[in-house]
Amino acid sequence: MRRSKAAWSAVAWIVLLLVAGAERASSQSCTHFDPARQPFFGDVHVHSALSFDAYLFDTRNGPRDAYRFARGEAVGLAPLDAFGEPTRTHRLRAPLDFAAVTDHAEMLGETTLCAYLGLDAVACELVFQNGGFTLALQVFGGQFQDPEPERLPFCGEGGATCLAAASGTWAEIGAAADEFDDPDGDCSFTTFAAYEWTAAPDNTNLHRNVLFRSSAIPPLPISYVEAQTPVELWQSLESQCAAVGGDCQALSIPHNSNQSEGQTFRVTEADGGPLTRETALLRARMEPVVELVQHKGDSECRPGVDSVDPRCAFEKIPETPAALDAPLSYVRNVLKAGLSLDAALGVNPFSLGLVASSDTHNGTPGATLEDDYPGHVGSLDADVVQRLSGSAPLQNPGGLMVVWAEENDRDALFDAMLRRETYATSGTRPEVRFFGGFDLPEDLCERPDLVAQGYATGVPMGGLLAASPGASAPRFAIHALQDPGTPGFPGTPLAEIELVKGWIDAAGFEHETVVSIGGGAPAPGAIDPLTCATDGSGSASLCAEWVDPDFDPDENAFYYARVLESPVCRWTTQLCRAQGIDCTAPTPPGFEACCDGSVPNTIQERATTSPIWVEPVPEPTAGQAFALVLLAALARDRRHPFACRARRRSGRAA
């Protein structure tokens, strides 16, 4: 009877979520509402000039500029001229559906005081007037890295001066988000108040982006000075929102686990003791999704780090040899570890949906195209040589977060993140559906009601399937449409669908496998890296179904889909070709990366869905079966409190 109580509680919650969805359908207010849900593309990892590092990189776009850019307007970029004005401009070919500016909570007040209010302090003058990023880390780095971080003396007793400045700036960040949330009144663009918690103890990356559901936000963001561990961050967020009241709710999105030395996802408590069920529940509640791709690399998996999947080599910035790299730096291994913890604790702390974003420090959300990449760190990669020097060529334009929701507003998008009906792209905009279920019909790819059947007889990406003893294998269906592109810039055809499975066996060992189930690998010569010409192969759409031949209903498992586009030239190759670099001739200084083989010439852009989990549960007792029937009946009764779901409009009239 292992985990029967927890498992049936999960089933009960699924029933309630379905009821909540029905209530949402009855309270629609957006112009474009679809109960079958729509894909919305966004970027929720964006730094503006309010972040200390972005300011020092000569970025001058504020949160409002970032939102204007996300809606399709042009903004200026570094380098700055002698008058402090940007010398470049950039704009998106297609606007985003949603965005969030996530300036660093750390040094938010200090940056305001030093850079914008002209505080007369030695540290301010040293860093913001005469220094730069490296010096800033030397002077202020303790606020990110020290075990017991403290603010500098100019912040006053208890940091009061800097906290007061941070509070005012945070209020402005929230005001900018509210100003640009649904500005046209048709739910065509959504924003979230947000920030980044930038903890880096011992130079390990524990960073999280914090998003709030509504305009009900706390008076201050939580920085590493106030919370030195993720657990302290989550506890503080819940306490803050409880104090604010209303519809204040936050979620935390970890990013760049590839640079965390395995510390982003700990399987122990902070003191090294065994992970407790209480902490596992807190983590699962506060972190429903993880950022898989951003401009500092891909964190899905890495060859030689508990994986032999060759496509795990995608967009890696190898700071550590594979033999020494920590397995829990990569999300696929974390998902496998979650299965083991679920078996031990009765709760999976790593039931993570997958998303992506850019981490731009230019205030340019969504600037993620290989052939239109302006750089992401202001004056540090503003010109061509800078972008091709050092480790910069190994970086990339970043990714996009895609959310399946009924409508494009804060509640619908936030709810989708909580239920993990999301996927990550490496920067392009393919449309991907993923369903799984024990009763999913055969030949679903041939049916016009694929989506309706997927929801009615299965679960979408991010869902949970409960496997009774002796259950037959579930069926999975993936349908994908290529990025439609924009006028003059067609999207890339799709090449292949892969299904990734992770599981633990009866002995507790973790396993993974990758199966190609649709389309196929591109033929040799599908792209000419010298000219970037392609043979046009690939499909406008792909659909595939799969039944696991090795399914065991007694094993915990997860499955997720990876949809690969046909190859194109990587941004570095396109930039080198645009500069006229001929690798058969001597390479000009500064352009060595064009010809030395240190970076790939081509890239297969991809979309990676959130997993569907399969969890073994016993048959319900007669009492449990009756309770579920009663619960469903009560849920259908609109007078019952379980069925009452007040419509939250994030401060806007419904």
Side-chain angles (χ1 to χ4, degrees), residues 3-23:
R3 294 180 288 116
S4 59
K5 182 177 180 181
W8 285 104
S9 296
V11 174
W13 274 111
I14 290 171
V15 172
L16 292 178
L17 284 172
L18 290 173
V19 174
E23 286 297 312

Side-chain angles (χ1 to χ4, degrees), residues 143-513:
Q143 294 182 205
F144 303 83
Q145 299 171 333
D146 286 357
E148 297 181 3
E150 295 181 355
R151 290 186 167 83
L152 295 185
F154 75 76
C155 287
E157 185 175 354
T161 302
C162 291
L163 287 172
S167 179
T169 301
W170 171 238
E172 267 301 294
I173 290 171
D178 287 342
E179 179 182 330
F180 281 85
D181 185 50
D182 193 19
D184 299 326
D186 61 356
C187 299
S188 60
F189 184 69
T190 296
T191 65
F192 294 94
Y195 64 86
E196 180 180 314
W197 177 76
T198 315
D202 299 321
N203 262 340
T204 58
N205 187 321
L206 304 184
H207 303 186
R208 265 79 176 167
N209 291 319
V210 176
L211 268 65
F212 290 90
R213 176 188 283 274
S214 73
S215 56
I217 59 176
L220 271 170
I222 299 165
S223 78
Y224 179 64
V225 176
E226 291 79 44
Q228 284 87 60
T229 68
V231 171
E232 291 175 3
L233 171 68
W234 305 325
Q235 291 170 338
S236 298
L237 286 170
E238 289 197 323
S239 297
Q240 279 189 327
C241 271
V244 171
D247 56 357
C248 181
Q249 185 178 6
L251 60 81
S252 164
I253 305 177
H255 71 81
N256 277 118
S257 61
N258 59 325
Q259 298 179 345
S260 73
E261 299 180 6
Q263 297 303 302
T264 293
F265 300 104
R266 295 177 61 99
V267 294
T268 64
E269 295 292 330
D271 61 4
L275 189 71
T276 65
R277 179 179 170 83
E278 180 183 14
T279 298
L281 285 167
L282 176 64
R283 181 188 283 271
R285 188 164 66 244
M286 294 301 296
E287 290 196 346
V289 297
V290 58
E291 187 178 282
L292 198 71
V293 181
Q294 60 122 271
H295 90 91
K296 292 195 287 288
D298 171 270
S299 298
E300 180 193 359
C301 48
R302 183 180 178 187
V305 186
D306 284 5
S307 181
V308 296
D309 177 1
R311 283 178 168 156
C312 288
F314 180 75
E315 292 299 325
K316 291 294 174 288
I317 304 178
E319 297 178 344
T320 306
L324 301 178
D325 209 351
L328 292 183
S329 292
Y330 299 97
V331 172
R332 189 187 296 177
N333 295 332
V334 173
L335 293 171
K336 289 183 289 187
L339 300 180
S340 298
L341 289 167
D342 191 15
L345 299 173
V347 59
N348 185 346
F350 301 141
S351 52
L352 295 162
L354 306 183
V355 301
S357 283
S358 69
D359 191 17
T360 178
H361 281 61
N362 286 343
T364 51
T368 59
L369 296 178
E370 299 291 323
D371 67 340
D372 195 29
Y373 176 42
H376 276 321
V377 284
S379 55
L380 295 192
D381 63 358
D383 67 42
V384 173
V385 172
Q386 288 175 313
R387 229 168 296 158
L388 293 171
S389 301
S391 64
L394 294 174
Q395 298 183 359
N396 67 87
L400 295 175
M401 174 182 191
V402 193
V403 170
W404 284 100
E406 297 88 351
E407 58 189 346
N408 185 12
D409 77 349
R410 285 176 172 174
D411 281 331
L413 299 181
F414 200 91
D415 286 343
M417 294 179 215
L418 292 179
R419 66 172 181 267
R420 303 167 299 205
E421 197 170 353
T422 62
Y423 63 96
T425 86
S426 57
T428 55
R429 305 191 189 190
E431 182 179 313
V432 181
R433 293 272 199 182
F434 178 39
F435 293 101
F438 294 105
D439 300 315
L440 217 60
E442 294 184 18
D443 301 321
L444 200 57
C445 284
E446 309 303 320
R447 298 180 58 148
D449 61 346
L450 183 154
V451 172
Q453 287 294 327
Y455 283 116
T457 64
V459 297
M461 60 184 78
L464 171 68
L465 294 172
S468 300
S472 58
R475 176 177 294 274
F476 297 95
I478 303 99
H479 181 263
L481 300 174
Q482 78 171 61
D483 182 340
T486 54
F489 300 93
T492 303
L494 305 176
E496 188 173 7
I497 297 176
E498 296 178 317
L499 204 69
V500 178
K501 176 188 178 183
W503 75 99
I504 55 171
D505 62 24
F509 291 104
E510 299 172 3
H511 304 271
E512 68 173 56
T513 189

Side-chain angles (χ1 to χ4, degrees), residues 436-440 442 465-476 501 546-555 559 614-617 619:
F438 294 105
D439 300 315
L440 217 60
E442 294 184 18
L465 294 172
S468 300
S472 58
R475 176 177 294 274
F476 297 95
K501 176 188 178 183
W546 187 71
V547 177
D548 183 359
D550 300 314
F551 177 73
D552 184 337
D554 295 323
E555 294 177 343
Y559 302 81
V614 179
E615 180 178 90
V617 296
E619 292 285 359

Side-chain angles (χ1 to χ4, degrees), residues 529-574:
L530 295 179
T531 64
C532 294
T534 68
D535 65 2
S537 61
S539 303
S541 66
L542 287 175
C543 190
E545 301 172 53
W546 187 71
V547 177
D548 183 359
D550 300 314
F551 177 73
D552 184 337
D554 295 323
E555 294 177 343
N556 284 50
F558 63 81
Y559 302 81
Y560 65 84
R562 197 164 57 186
V563 179
L564 295 108
E565 297 182 1
S566 295
V568 297
C569 276
R570 194 174 183 270
W571 72 267
T572 42
T573 306
Q574 300 199 42

Side-chain angles (χ1 to χ4, degrees), residues 52-53 55-58 60 122-140 379-380:
F52 81 99
D53 49 358
Y55 183 89
L56 294 173
F57 299 154
D58 292 332
R60 295 297 180 262
V122 173
C124 289
E125 182 178 357
L126 185 67
V127 172
F128 286 88
Q129 277 74 52
N130 302 312
F133 179 65
T134 301
L135 187 57
L137 292 183
Q138 294 173 0
V139 175
F140 291 97
S379 55
L380 295 192

